[in-house]
Amino acid sequence: MSFLTRFLIRTLATLLLVFAVVFICVLLLASSVRWLLTGRKPTLVLFAQAYQQWKHMAKGTDKVKKSDGDIIDVEVKKISKDNTFL
């Protein structure tokens, strides 16, 4: 390859790398500002947390908090007063 071809390929690769880094930084800044303003976590953080939980579950460790407290046991009773049912 000639010197000019190698120079153009390296320049193009460098520009592509710089563009990718700038794009990632802008997305990171935008999601951080959104997180500060709305309080909603960015999807990347949520994905990382889900991956960590999955990893702990695969190992069989009990560090992952279980949501057994969401189950509510309900008992139905008939209450009558003057033949009206609630």
Side-chain angles (χ1 to χ4, degrees):
M1 272 204 254
S2 69
F3 174 74
L4 184 61
T5 307
R6 283 186 284 164
F7 178 74
L8 288 176
I9 289 174
R10 287 182 183 169
T11 305
L12 184 63
T14 303
L15 288 175
L16 184 63
L17 180 64
V18 167
F19 176 74
V21 168
V22 168
F23 184 71
I24 290 170
C25 288
V26 167
L27 286 179
L28 184 64
L29 180 67
S31 65
S32 298
V33 168
R34 178 178 173 237
W35 189 1
L36 288 173
L37 294 177
T38 63
R40 295 178 61 193
K41 291 184 179 179
T43 54
L44 183 61
V45 173
L46 296 175
F47 177 76
Q49 288 176 348
Y51 178 72
Q52 289 295 327
Q53 287 179 352
W54 175 76
K55 214 165 75 170
H56 287 301
M57 287 171 49
K59 287 181 183 178
T61 59
D62 291 332
K63 291 182 180 177
V64 178
K65 190 168 76 172
K66 296 180 181 178
S67 62
D68 290 337
D70 295 339
I71 299 171
I72 300 172
D73 194 12
V74 178
E75 190 175 317
V76 178
K77 292 183 179 181
K78 188 189 311 185
I79 302 173
S80 63
K81 181 179 180 182
D82 299 332
N83 293 332
T84 59
F85 297 105
L86 297 175

